[in-house]
Amino acid sequence: MSSRVVAGLQPVREAIRAHGNKLERVLVEGARDAPQLDALARFAADHGARVERPSRAELDRIARGVHHQGAIAFAPELRLVGLAEVPLDAGTLVVALDEVQDPQNFGAVIRSAVAMGATAVMWPEHRSAPLSAATFRASAGAVEHARLCRV
């Protein structure tokens, strides 16, 4: 199974909410006494996800520079839809991006689009920020609920 790294408390919480037991595993820092991390581990277990409690050093190694806040999940790859799959009728709101190259900005736009109830977020394949761990984190987990369309 192909998976992607989701890092940060809120992004991991939304990945658990969206995918539950389909997550490969959820890593929650085990060395420190942190109620938020303990609550996240219980939330993951309640949703059928396999929870592991590695050290901070191990989380840092896996996150590769992305600020993880003590939580990482291995989630299924995001499903990208084709333009033909986006319903285009009177109630459709599509957020179309062009040349947004900063992953944090890309994630923030996805977060805003989901909050507005957008039908889809569309962006070009070339000269655009990648869907990366930084994008997932900047979206605060909203990417798990967005319909994504790369054209």
Side-chain angles (χ1 to χ4, degrees):
M1 178 177 98
S2 181
S3 63
R4 63 189 164 87
V5 174
V6 177
L9 288 170
Q10 187 61 30
V12 169
R13 188 175 294 114
E14 290 304 319
I16 294 165
R17 188 167 299 162
H19 306 291
N21 64 358
K22 293 182 181 96
L23 294 172
E24 184 179 314
R25 59 191 168 136
V26 175
L27 307 179
V28 179
E29 184 179 352
R32 47 175 209 188
D33 182 31
Q36 276 188 315
L37 294 175
D38 293 338
L40 184 66
R42 284 191 307 276
F43 185 65
D46 290 348
H47 281 79
R50 184 175 66 142
V51 178
E52 298 175 13
R53 301 298 295 251
S55 69
R56 180 132 191 123
E58 179 67 10
L59 290 170
D60 290 342
R61 184 187 67 73
I62 293 167
R64 296 182 181 169
V66 175
H67 185 60
H68 56 74
Q69 298 175 297
I72 292 176
F74 292 89
E77 290 295 331
L78 291 172
R79 180 177 177 273
L80 302 180
V81 300
L83 187 56
E85 294 178 69
V86 177
L88 299 175
D89 56 34
T92 300
L93 171 61
V94 175
V95 176
L97 307 174
D98 188 26
E99 295 189 25
V100 174
Q101 297 182 5
D102 182 340
Q104 283 78 22
N105 289 345
F106 189 23
V109 170
I110 293 170
R111 183 179 66 237
S112 296
V114 169
M116 292 186 320
T119 304
V121 176
M122 187 182 321
W123 74 99
E125 183 174 351
H126 302 288
R127 294 185 307 277
S128 293
L131 282 172
S132 65
T135 305
F136 306 147
R137 180 158 161 56
S139 81
V143 73
E144 305 298 336
H145 307 287
R147 181 179 285 163
L148 303 171
C149 180
R150 184 171 51 208
V151 295

